[in-house]
Coordinates of all heavy atoms in Angstrom, one line a residue:
W339 N 105.4 104.9 94.7 CA 105.7 103.8 93.7 C 105.9 104.4 92.3 O 106.7 103.8 91.6 CB 104.6 102.8 93.8 CG 104.6 102.0 95.0 CD1 103.8 102.2 96.1 CD2 105.4 100.9 95.3 NE1 104.1 101.3 97.1 CE2 105.0 100.5 96.6 CE3 106.4 100.3 94.6 CZ2 105.7 99.4 97.2 CZ3 107.0 99.2 95.2 CH2 106.6 98.7 96.5
L340 N 105.2 105.4 91.9 CA 105.3 105.9 90.6 C 106.7 106.4 90.3 O 107.2 106.3 89.1 CB 104.3 107.0 90.3 CG 102.9 106.6 90.1 CD1 102.0 107.8 90.0 CD2 102.8 105.7 88.9
N341 N 107.4 106.9 91.3 CA 108.7 107.5 91.0 C 109.8 106.4 91.1 O 111.0 106.8 90.8 CB 109.0 108.6 92.1 CG 110.1 109.5 91.7 OD1 110.2 109.8 90.5 ND2 110.9 109.8 92.6
F342 N 109.5 105.2 91.5 CA 110.6 104.2 91.7 C 111.4 104.1 90.5 O 111.0 103.7 89.4 CB 109.9 102.9 92.1 CG 110.8 101.7 92.4 CD1 112.0 101.9 93.2 CD2 110.6 100.5 91.9 CE1 112.8 100.9 93.4 CE2 111.4 99.4 92.2 CZ 112.5 99.6 93.0
G343 N 112.7 104.4 90.6 CA 113.7 104.3 89.5 C 113.9 105.5 88.8 O 114.9 105.7 88.1
H344 N 112.9 106.5 88.9 CA 113.0 107.7 88.0 C 114.0 108.7 88.5 O 114.6 109.4 87.7 CB 111.6 108.3 87.9 CG 110.7 107.6 86.9 ND1 110.1 106.4 87.1 CD2 110.4 108.0 85.6 CE1 109.4 106.1 86.1 NE2 109.6 107.0 85.1
T345 N 114.2 108.8 89.8 CA 115.2 109.8 90.3 C 116.6 109.5 89.7 O 117.2 110.4 89.1 CB 115.2 109.8 91.8 OG1 113.9 110.2 92.3 CG2 116.2 110.8 92.3
V346 N 117.0 108.3 89.9 CA 118.3 107.9 89.4 C 118.3 107.8 87.8 O 119.2 108.2 87.1 CB 118.8 106.5 90.0 CG1 120.0 106.0 89.3 CG2 119.0 106.7 91.5
G347 N 117.2 107.3 87.3 CA 117.0 107.2 85.9 C 117.1 108.5 85.1 O 117.8 108.7 84.1
H348 N 116.4 109.6 85.6 CA 116.5 110.9 85.0 C 117.9 111.5 85.1 O 118.4 112.1 84.2 CB 115.5 111.8 85.6 CG 114.1 111.5 85.2 ND1 113.0 112.0 86.0 CD2 113.6 110.8 84.2 CE1 111.9 111.5 85.4 NE2 112.2 110.9 84.3
A349 N 118.6 111.2 86.2 CA 120.0 111.7 86.4 C 120.9 111.0 85.4 O 121.8 111.6 84.7 CB 120.5 111.4 87.8
L350 N 120.7 109.6 85.2 CA 121.5 108.9 84.2 C 121.3 109.4 82.8 O 122.2 109.5 82.0 CB 121.2 107.4 84.3 CG 121.8 106.6 85.4 CD1 121.2 105.2 85.5 CD2 123.3 106.5 85.2
E351 N 120.0 109.7 82.5 CA 119.7 110.2 81.1 C 120.5 111.5 80.9 O 121.1 111.7 79.9 CB 118.2 110.5 81.0 CG 117.4 109.3 80.8 CD 115.9 109.7 80.7 OE1 115.4 110.3 81.7 OE2 115.3 109.3 79.7
Q352 N 120.4 112.4 81.9 CA 121.0 113.7 81.8 C 122.6 113.6 81.6 O 123.1 114.2 80.7 CB 120.7 114.5 83.0 CG 121.3 115.9 83.0 CD 121.0 116.7 84.3 OE1 120.1 116.3 85.0 NE2 121.7 117.7 84.5
V353 N 123.2 112.8 82.5 CA 124.7 112.8 82.4 C 125.2 112.0 81.2 O 126.3 112.1 80.8 CB 125.3 112.2 83.7 CG1 125.0 113.2 84.9 CG2 124.9 110.8 84.0
S354 N 124.3 111.1 80.6 CA 124.7 110.4 79.4 C 124.4 111.2 78.2 O 124.6 110.7 77.1 CB 124.0 109.0 79.4 OG 122.7 109.2 79.0
E355 N 124.0 112.4 78.4 CA 123.6 113.3 77.3 C 122.5 112.6 76.4 O 122.5 112.7 75.2 CB 124.8 113.8 76.5 CG 125.7 114.6 77.3 CD 127.0 115.0 76.6 OE1 127.2 114.6 75.5 OE2 127.7 115.9 77.2
Y356 N 121.6 111.9 77.1 CA 120.4 111.3 76.5 C 120.8 110.2 75.4 O 120.1 109.9 74.5 CB 119.5 112.3 75.9 CG 119.0 113.2 77.1 CD1 119.7 114.4 77.4 CD2 117.9 112.8 77.9 CE1 119.3 115.1 78.5 CE2 117.5 113.5 79.0 CZ 118.2 114.7 79.2 OH 117.8 115.5 80.3
Q357 N 122.0 109.6 75.6 CA 122.4 108.5 74.8 C 121.7 107.2 75.3 O 121.7 106.2 74.6 CB 123.9 108.2 74.9 CG 124.8 109.3 74.3 CD 126.2 109.1 74.5 OE1 126.7 107.9 74.8 NE2 127.1 110.1 74.4
M358 N 121.2 107.3 76.5 CA 120.5 106.1 77.1 C 119.0 106.3 77.0 O 118.5 107.4 77.2 CB 120.9 106.0 78.5 CG 120.4 104.8 79.3 SD 121.0 104.8 81.0 CE 122.8 105.0 80.8
S359 N 118.2 105.3 76.6 CA 116.8 105.4 76.5 C 116.2 105.6 77.9 O 116.8 105.2 78.9 CB 116.2 104.2 75.9 OG 116.2 103.1 76.8
H360 N 115.0 106.3 77.9 CA 114.3 106.5 79.2 C 114.1 105.2 79.9 O 114.3 105.0 81.1 CB 113.0 107.2 79.0 CG 112.3 107.5 80.2 ND1 112.7 108.4 81.1 CD2 111.1 106.9 80.7 CE1 111.8 108.4 82.1 NE2 110.9 107.6 81.9
G361 N 113.6 104.2 79.2 CA 113.3 102.9 79.8 C 114.5 102.2 80.4 O 114.5 101.7 81.5
R362 N 115.6 102.2 79.7 CA 116.9 101.6 80.2 C 117.4 102.4 81.4 O 117.8 101.8 82.4 CB 117.9 101.6 79.1 CG 119.2 100.9 79.6 CD 120.2 100.8 78.5 NE 121.4 100.2 79.0 CZ 122.6 100.4 78.5 NH1 122.7 101.1 77.4 NH2 123.7 99.9 79.0
A363 N 117.3 103.7 81.4 CA 117.8 104.6 82.5 C 116.9 104.3 83.7 O 117.5 104.2 84.8 CB 117.7 106.0 82.1
V364 N 115.6 104.2 83.6 CA 114.7 103.9 84.7 C 115.0 102.5 85.2 O 115.0 102.3 86.5 CB 113.3 104.2 84.4 CG1 112.3 103.7 85.5 CG2 113.0 105.6 84.1
A365 N 115.2 101.5 84.3 CA 115.5 100.2 84.8 C 116.8 100.2 85.6 O 116.8 99.6 86.7 CB 115.7 99.3 83.6
L366 N 117.8 100.9 85.2 CA 119.0 101.0 86.0 C 118.8 101.7 87.3 O 119.4 101.4 88.3 CB 120.2 101.6 85.2 CG 120.7 100.8 84.0 CD1 121.6 101.6 83.1 CD2 121.4 99.6 84.5
G367 N 117.9 102.7 87.2 CA 117.5 103.4 88.4 C 116.8 102.5 89.4 O 117.0 102.6 90.6
L368 N 115.9 101.6 88.9 CA 115.3 100.6 89.8 C 116.3 99.8 90.5 O 116.2 99.5 91.7 CB 114.4 99.7 89.0 CG 113.1 100.3 88.4 CD1 112.5 99.3 87.4 CD2 112.1 100.6 89.4
L369 N 117.3 99.4 89.8 CA 118.3 98.5 90.3 C 119.2 99.3 91.4 O 119.4 98.8 92.5 CB 119.2 97.9 89.2 CG 120.1 96.8 89.6 CD1 119.3 95.6 90.1 CD2 120.9 96.4 88.4
A370 N 119.6 100.5 91.0 CA 120.4 101.3 92.0 C 119.6 101.6 93.2 O 120.1 101.5 94.3 CB 120.8 102.6 91.3
E371 N 118.3 102.0 93.1 CA 117.5 102.3 94.3 C 117.2 101.0 95.1 O 117.1 101.1 96.3 CB 116.3 103.0 93.8 CG 116.6 104.4 93.3 CD 115.4 105.1 92.7 OE1 114.3 104.8 93.0 OE2 115.7 106.0 91.8
T372 N 117.2 99.9 94.5 CA 117.0 98.6 95.2 C 118.2 98.3 96.0 O 118.2 97.8 97.1 CB 116.5 97.5 94.3 OG1 115.3 97.9 93.6 CG2 116.3 96.2 95.0
Y373 N 119.4 98.5 95.3 CA 120.7 98.3 96.1 C 120.7 99.1 97.3 O 121.1 98.7 98.4 CB 121.9 98.5 95.2 CG 122.4 97.4 94.4 CD1 122.1 97.2 93.0 CD2 123.2 96.4 95.0 CE1 122.6 96.1 92.3 CE2 123.7 95.3 94.3 CZ 123.4 95.2 93.0 OH 123.9 94.1 92.3
L374 N 120.4 100.4 97.1 CA 120.4 101.3 98.3 C 119.5 100.9 99.4 O 119.8 100.8 100.6 CB 120.1 102.7 97.8 CG 120.0 103.8 98.9 CD1 121.3 104.0 99.6 CD2 119.6 105.1 98.3
S375 N 118.3 100.5 99.0 CA 117.3 100.0 99.9 C 117.8 98.7 100.7 O 117.5 98.6 101.9 CB 115.9 99.7 99.2 OG 115.4 100.9 98.7
M376 N 118.5 97.9 99.9 CA 119.0 96.7 100.6 C 120.1 97.0 101.6 O 120.1 96.5 102.7 CB 119.6 95.7 99.5 CG 120.2 94.4 100.1 SD 121.2 93.5 98.9 CE 122.6 94.5 98.8
H377 N 121.0 98.0 101.2 CA 122.0 98.4 102.2 C 121.4 99.1 103.4 O 122.1 99.1 104.5 CB 123.1 99.2 101.5 CG 123.9 98.4 100.6 ND1 124.9 97.5 101.1 CD2 124.0 98.3 99.2 CE1 125.5 96.9 100.1 NE2 124.9 97.3 98.9
L378 N 120.3 99.7 103.2 CA 119.6 100.4 104.4 C 118.8 99.4 105.2 O 118.2 99.8 106.2 CB 118.8 101.6 103.9 CG 119.6 102.7 103.3 CD1 118.7 103.8 102.6 CD2 120.5 103.4 104.3
G379 N 118.7 98.2 104.7 CA 117.9 97.2 105.4 C 116.4 97.1 105.2 O 115.7 96.5 105.9
Y380 N 116.0 97.7 104.1 CA 114.5 97.7 103.8 C 114.1 96.6 102.9 O 112.9 96.2 102.9 CB 114.1 99.0 103.0 CG 114.3 100.3 103.9 CD1 115.2 101.2 103.7 CD2 113.5 100.4 105.0 CE1 115.4 102.3 104.5 CE2 113.6 101.6 105.8 CZ 114.5 102.5 105.5 OH 114.7 103.6 106.4
V381 N 115.0 96.0 102.1 CA 114.6 94.9 101.2 C 115.7 93.8 101.3 O 116.9 94.1 101.7 CB 114.4 95.3 99.8 CG1 113.3 96.3 99.6 CG2 115.6 95.8 99.1
Q382 N 115.4 92.6 100.9 CA 116.3 91.5 100.9 C 117.0 91.5 99.5 O 116.5 91.9 98.5 CB 115.7 90.2 101.2 CG 115.1 90.1 102.6 CD 114.4 88.8 102.8 OE1 114.1 88.0 101.9 NE2 114.0 88.6 104.1
S383 N 118.2 90.9 99.5 CA 119.0 90.8 98.3 C 118.3 90.0 97.2 O 118.6 90.2 96.0 CB 120.4 90.2 98.5 OG 120.2 88.9 99.0
K384 N 117.4 89.2 97.6 CA 116.6 88.4 96.6 C 115.9 89.3 95.6 O 115.7 88.9 94.4 CB 115.6 87.5 97.3 CG 114.7 86.6 96.4 CD 115.6 85.6 95.7 CE 114.7 84.7 94.9 NZ 115.5 83.8 94.0
L385 N 115.4 90.5 96.0 CA 114.7 91.4 95.1 C 115.7 91.8 94.0 O 115.2 92.0 92.9 CB 114.2 92.6 95.9 CG 113.4 93.6 95.1 CD1 112.2 92.9 94.4 CD2 112.9 94.7 96.0
I386 N 116.9 92.0 94.3 CA 117.9 92.4 93.2 C 118.0 91.3 92.2 O 118.0 91.5 91.0 CB 119.3 92.8 93.9 CG1 119.1 94.0 94.7 CG2 120.3 92.9 92.8 CD1 120.3 94.3 95.6
E387 N 118.1 90.1 92.7 CA 118.1 88.9 91.8 C 116.9 88.9 90.9 O 117.0 88.6 89.7 CB 118.2 87.6 92.5 CG 119.5 87.4 93.3 CD 119.5 86.2 94.2 OE1 118.8 85.2 93.9 OE2 120.1 86.3 95.3
V388 N 115.7 89.1 91.4 CA 114.5 89.1 90.7 C 114.5 90.2 89.6 O 114.2 90.0 88.4 CB 113.3 89.3 91.6 CG1 112.0 89.5 90.8 CG2 113.1 88.1 92.5
L389 N 114.9 91.4 90.0 CA 115.0 92.5 89.0 C 116.0 92.2 87.9 O 115.7 92.4 86.7 CB 115.5 93.8 89.7 CG 114.4 94.5 90.5 CD1 115.1 95.7 91.2 CD2 113.3 95.0 89.6
E390 N 117.2 91.6 88.2 CA 118.1 91.3 87.2 C 117.6 90.2 86.2 O 117.8 90.3 85.0 CB 119.4 90.8 87.8 CG 120.2 91.9 88.5 CD 121.4 91.5 89.3 OE1 121.5 90.3 89.6 OE2 122.3 92.3 89.5
Q391 N 116.8 89.3 86.8 CA 116.2 88.2 85.9 C 115.2 88.9 85.0 O 115.1 88.5 83.8 CB 115.5 87.2 86.8 CG 116.5 86.3 87.5 CD 115.9 85.4 88.5 OE1 114.7 85.4 88.8 NE2 116.7 84.5 89.1
L392 N 114.4 89.8 85.5 CA 113.4 90.5 84.7 C 114.1 91.3 83.6 O 113.6 91.2 82.4 CB 112.5 91.4 85.5 CG 111.4 90.7 86.4 CD1 110.8 91.7 87.3 CD2 110.4 90.0 85.5
F393 N 115.1 92.0 83.9 CA 115.8 92.8 82.9 C 116.4 91.8 81.8 O 116.4 92.2 80.7 CB 116.9 93.6 83.5 CG 116.4 94.7 84.5 CD1 117.2 95.2 85.5 CD2 115.1 95.1 84.4 CE1 116.7 96.1 86.4 CE2 114.6 96.1 85.3 CZ 115.4 96.6 86.3
D394 N 116.9 90.7 82.2 CA 117.4 89.7 81.3 C 116.3 89.2 80.4 O 116.5 89.1 79.1 CB 118.1 88.5 82.0 CG 118.8 87.6 81.1 OD1 119.5 88.1 80.2 OD2 118.6 86.4 81.2
I395 N 115.1 88.9 80.9 CA 114.0 88.4 80.1 C 113.6 89.5 79.1 O 113.3 89.1 77.9 CB 112.8 88.1 81.0 CG1 113.1 86.8 81.8 CG2 111.5 87.9 80.3 CD1 112.1 86.5 83.0
F396 N 113.6 90.7 79.5 CA 113.2 91.8 78.6 C 114.3 92.4 77.8 O 114.2 93.4 77.2 CB 112.4 92.9 79.4 CG 111.1 92.4 79.8 CD1 110.8 92.0 81.1 CD2 110.0 92.4 78.9 CE1 109.6 91.6 81.5 CE2 108.8 91.9 79.3 CZ 108.6 91.5 80.6
D397 N 115.5 91.8 77.9 CA 116.7 92.2 77.1 C 117.1 93.6 77.4 O 117.4 94.4 76.5 CB 116.5 91.9 75.6 CG 117.8 91.9 74.9 OD1 118.8 91.5 75.5 OD2 117.8 92.3 73.7
I398 N 117.1 94.0 78.7 CA 117.5 95.3 79.1 C 119.0 95.2 79.6 O 119.2 94.6 80.6 CB 116.6 95.9 80.2 CG1 115.2 96.0 79.7 CG2 117.2 97.3 80.7 CD1 114.2 96.3 80.8
P399 N 119.9 95.8 78.8 CA 121.3 95.7 79.2 C 121.6 96.5 80.5 O 121.2 97.6 80.7 CB 122.1 96.2 78.0 CG 121.1 97.0 77.3 CD 119.8 96.5 77.6
L400 N 122.4 95.9 81.4 CA 122.7 96.5 82.6 C 124.1 97.2 82.6 O 124.4 98.0 83.5 CB 122.7 95.5 83.8 CG 121.3 94.8 84.0 CD1 121.4 93.8 85.1 CD2 120.3 95.9 84.3
K401 N 124.9 96.9 81.6 CA 126.2 97.5 81.5 C 126.1 98.8 80.7 O 125.4 98.9 79.8 CB 127.2 96.5 80.9 CG 127.5 95.3 81.8 CD 128.5 94.4 81.2 CE 128.7 93.2 82.1 NZ 129.6 92.3 81.6
L402 N 127.0 99.7 81.1 CA 127.0 101.0 80.4 C 128.0 101.1 79.3 O 128.7 102.1 79.1 CB 127.3 102.1 81.4 CG 126.3 102.3 82.5 CD1 126.8 103.4 83.5 CD2 124.9 102.7 82.0
E403 N 128.1 100.0 78.5 CA 129.1 99.9 77.4 C 128.9 101.0 76.4 O 127.8 101.2 75.9 CB 129.0 98.6 76.8 CG 129.4 97.4 77.7 CD 129.2 96.0 77.1 OE1 128.6 96.0 76.0 OE2 129.5 95.1 77.7
G404 N 130.0 101.8 76.2 CA 129.9 102.9 75.2 C 129.3 104.1 75.8 O 129.2 105.1 75.1
I405 N 128.9 104.2 77.0 CA 128.3 105.4 77.6 C 129.1 105.7 78.8 O 129.3 104.9 79.7 CB 126.8 105.1 78.0 CG1 126.0 104.8 76.8 CG2 126.2 106.3 78.7 CD1 124.5 104.4 77.1
Q406 N 129.6 107.0 78.8 CA 130.4 107.5 79.9 C 129.5 108.2 80.9 O 128.8 109.1 80.5 CB 131.5 108.4 79.4 CG 132.5 107.8 78.4 CD 133.3 106.7 79.2 OE1 133.8 106.9 80.3 NE2 133.5 105.6 78.5
V407 N 129.7 107.8 82.2 CA 129.0 108.5 83.2 C 130.0 108.8 84.3 O 130.6 107.9 84.9 CB 127.8 107.6 83.8 CG1 127.2 108.2 85.0 CG2 126.8 107.3 82.8
E408 N 130.2 110.1 84.5 CA 131.1 110.6 85.6 C 130.4 110.6 86.9 O 129.3 111.1 87.0 CB 131.7 111.9 85.2 CG 132.5 112.0 83.9 CD 133.8 111.2 84.1 OE1 134.4 111.2 85.2 OE2 134.2 110.6 83.1
A409 N 131.0 110.1 87.9 CA 130.4 110.0 89.3 C 130.0 111.4 89.8 O 128.9 111.6 90.3 CB 131.3 109.3 90.3
D410 N 130.9 112.4 89.7 CA 130.6 113.7 90.2 C 129.4 114.3 89.4 O 128.5 115.0 90.0 CB 131.8 114.6 90.1 CG 132.9 114.3 91.1 OD1 132.5 113.6 92.1 OD2 134.0 114.6 90.9
A411 N 129.3 114.1 88.1 CA 128.2 114.6 87.3 C 126.9 114.0 87.7 O 125.9 114.6 87.8 CB 128.5 114.5 85.8
L412 N 127.0 112.6 88.0 CA 125.8 111.9 88.4 C 125.3 112.4 89.8 O 124.1 112.6 90.0 CB 126.1 110.4 88.5 CG 124.9 109.5 88.8 CD1 123.7 109.7 87.8 CD2 125.3 108.1 88.9
K413 N 126.2 112.7 90.7 CA 125.8 113.2 92.0 C 125.2 114.5 91.9 O 124.1 114.8 92.5 CB 127.1 113.4 92.9 CG 127.6 112.1 93.4 CD 128.8 112.4 94.3 CE 129.7 111.2 94.5 NZ 130.9 111.6 95.3
Q414 N 125.7 115.4 91.0 CA 125.1 116.7 90.8 C 123.7 116.6 90.2 O 122.8 117.3 90.6 CB 126.0 117.6 89.9 CG 125.6 119.0 89.8 CD 125.6 119.7 91.1 OE1 126.5 119.5 92.0 NE2 124.7 120.6 91.3
A415 N 123.6 115.7 89.2 CA 122.3 115.5 88.6 C 121.3 115.0 89.6 O 120.1 115.3 89.5 CB 122.4 114.6 87.4
L416 N 121.7 114.1 90.5 CA 120.8 113.5 91.5 C 120.3 114.6 92.4 O 119.2 114.6 92.8 CB 121.5 112.4 92.3 CG 121.6 111.1 91.6 CD1 122.6 110.2 92.3 CD2 120.2 110.5 91.4
K417 N 121.2 115.6 92.7 CA 120.8 116.7 93.6 C 119.7 117.6 92.9 O 118.9 118.1 93.6 CB 122.0 117.6 93.9 CG 123.0 116.9 94.9 CD 124.1 117.8 95.1 CE 125.2 117.1 96.0 NZ 126.4 118.0 96.2
Q418 N 119.7 117.6 91.6 CA 118.7 118.5 90.9 C 117.4 117.7 90.6 O 116.4 118.4 90.3 CB 119.4 118.9 89.6 CG 120.5 119.8 89.7 CD 121.3 120.1 88.4 OE1 120.9 119.5 87.4 NE2 122.3 120.9 88.5
S419 N 117.4 116.4 90.8 CA 116.2 115.6 90.5 C 115.2 115.7 91.5 O 115.4 115.9 92.6 CB 116.6 114.1 90.3 OG 117.4 114.0 89.1

């Protein structure tokens, strides 16, 4: 549980050259890992809705406006995490 969101979050921080805060990166990691869990059949889509509502309440932006993240670089960073 402690690592939930951190694998993807740390990779996002790295590929964004730390333009993204740790909290925002981990929040996006939570969402990404929940999407993956949903597609693997471990959680229901309702959990994604709940996370998105929480991020909205706490004003955590989900769009990467102004931050470039290359898919290949993200994949490589995920391998190193």
Side-chain angles (χ1 to χ4, degrees):
W339 287 99
L340 283 175
N341 196 42
F342 182 43
H344 279 78
T345 300
V346 173
H348 287 159
L350 282 169
E351 285 177 302
Q352 181 182 342
V353 299
S354 74
E355 297 179 349
Y356 300 92
Q357 295 176 18
M358 187 181 306
S359 72
H360 179 73
R362 181 174 177 207
V364 170
L366 291 171
L368 290 169
L369 195 57
E371 292 173 22
T372 302
Y373 268 104
L374 178 60
S375 295
M376 183 191 69
H377 286 287
L378 293 173
Y380 293 112
V381 300
Q382 295 179 351
S383 60
K384 180 68 176 167
L385 183 55
I386 293 169
E387 293 173 31
V388 170
L389 283 175
E390 289 174 340
Q391 289 171 355
L392 284 170
F393 297 156
D394 187 48
I395 289 168
F396 289 101
D397 198 30
I398 299 170
L400 298 178
K401 295 184 180 177
L402 296 178
E403 294 173 357
I405 299 174
Q406 295 295 318
V407 174
E408 297 293 328
D410 289 337
L412 184 59
K413 286 181 201 176
Q414 189 62 33
L416 282 167
K417 289 178 185 178
Q418 296 171 354
S419 293

